[in-house]
Amino acid sequence: MQEPTNIVITGVSRGLGRALTEWFAARGHAVSGAARSRDAIKALNESPGPSGAFSELDLLDRPAVEAWAGTLTPPELLICNAGVLHPDTPFVELDAELFDHQLDVNVKGTANVLRAFLPGMMARGSGTVVVFTSGAGVRGYPEISGYCASKHALEGLCKSVAQEVPEGMAIVPYQPGVIQTEMLVGHYGERAREYPLPDQWVKSAGPALLSLGPEQNGQSLRLGE
Ligand SMILES: NC(=O)c1ccc[n+]([C@@H]2O[C@H](COP(=O)([O-])OP(=O)(O)OC[C@H]3O[C@@H](n4cnc5c(N)ncnc54)[C@H](OP(=O)(O)O)[C@@H]3O)[C@@H](O)[C@H]2O)c1
């Protein structure tokens, strides 16, 4: 497969999305992305490295997501990376609003992005969509029930839509591994330091994501497999 040149990533302000943005841009790809953090978006737009347009955006704001997608060429690679993980709490003690927010951002926010970008990609008949799920999307873990529910939902969403896209496309639910980001530190505490930083992770993740294509459509994949 020819390497994509036009890449859109959600959640570019930090963690995996930021590392991917910088890695792809350094290799000549045109990267656009979005996140809510104003300062990080400003820094990306002013950086001499990442070439592209970065937008301050909440994925829950569906009209804003639609408007954002309308300003961009349908990407060859769309990475739905943005996500949240609620603090470790047993389900019966978990605030209902936190549970709902988990599903809102991870599932409905991602659905907003897919709804905004897929029609253009499908009309062209090419492109790969990667949705970051998790081990928690295929197995259960205690105290992160909302996160597990949301990531299982994303696996199902991808596998369903995979049967609707044209032959030249792919939508892939993808487990990125375990990486030392703010999200992991919030969940694992000190133990997070045992895991690679995003800048190390991206050296294997970047090429792996670029290699995905129609052969992987609908497959539940994990980095390194
Ligand atoms: N780190 C791991 O070990 C690991 C393992 C398995 C799966 N994952 C998945 O990988 C993805 C990235 O994780 P990470 O560890 O890099 O997390 P992170 O450091 O917390 O970064 C999350 C990103 O999502 C963005 N985001 C959150 N809510 C948003 C919203 N409503 N609208 C727009 N952007 C939003 C954040 O930007 P703003 O706050 O600026 O909006 C941030 O850029 C997530 O989907 C996560 O579930 C991570």
Side-chain angles (χ1 to χ4, degrees):
M1 177 190 161
Q2 193 187 358
E3 288 207 345
T5 54
N6 180 5
I7 301 172
V8 171
I9 306 175
T10 64
V12 292
S13 60
R14 60 176 184 270
L16 308 189
R18 181 66 173 258
L20 286 168
T21 297
E22 289 171 354
W23 193 88
F24 287 134
R27 279 149 191 83
H29 300 284
V31 189
S32 299
R36 293 166 305 171
S37 303
R38 178 164 302 173
D39 290 349
I41 292 300
K42 187 165 176 280
L44 279 168
N45 280 323
E46 289 172 356
S47 160
S51 63
F54 298 92
S55 302
E56 185 189 330
L57 192 75
D58 188 332
L59 298 188
L60 293 177
D61 184 345
R62 189 166 37 188
V65 174
E66 292 282 344
W68 172 54
T71 65
L72 300 171
T73 305
E76 286 296 339
L77 176 60
L78 169 64
I79 303 176
C80 296
N81 158 77
V84 291
L85 167 58
H86 63 74
D88 287 22
T89 316
F91 174 69
V92 293
E93 295 168 21
L94 182 63
D95 189 281
E97 283 178 11
L98 272 182
F99 184 89
D100 288 356
H101 182 66
Q102 194 71 56
L103 293 174
D104 283 346
V105 176
N106 291 1
V107 184
K108 296 183 196 172
T110 301
N112 286 342
V113 174
L114 297 180
R115 212 178 277 116
F117 283 96
L118 275 176
M121 297 173 75
M122 290 170 74
R124 189 185 55 212
S126 68
T128 298
V129 180
V130 178
V131 176
F132 279 178
T133 61
S134 166
V138 293
R139 289 181 295 280
Y141 291 93
E143 304 199 350
I144 53 168
S145 54
Y147 184 74
C148 280
S150 71
K151 293 297 185 179
H152 273 75
L154 288 178
E155 289 272 340
L157 176 63
C158 290
K159 287 176 183 165
S160 173
V161 178
Q163 298 181 42
E164 302 170 5
V165 296
E167 274 186 11
M169 283 187 63
I171 176 162
V172 182
Y174 198 87
Q175 299 174 47
V178 185
I179 311 95
Q180 191 188 138
T181 61
E182 273 185 36
M183 181 184 283
L184 193 76
V185 171
H187 178 49
Y188 275 9
E190 271 302 306
R191 194 156 66 87
R193 308 213 182 283
E194 295 169 19
Y195 294 93
L197 288 161
D199 288 355
Q200 299 165 292
W201 165 85
V202 76
K203 291 177 192 165
S204 52
L209 294 173
L210 286 173
S211 76
L212 298 174
E215 318 79 63
Q216 284 78 36
N217 185 32
Q219 291 179 25
S220 184
L221 298 180
R222 195 170 61 174
L223 179 63
E225 275 187 343

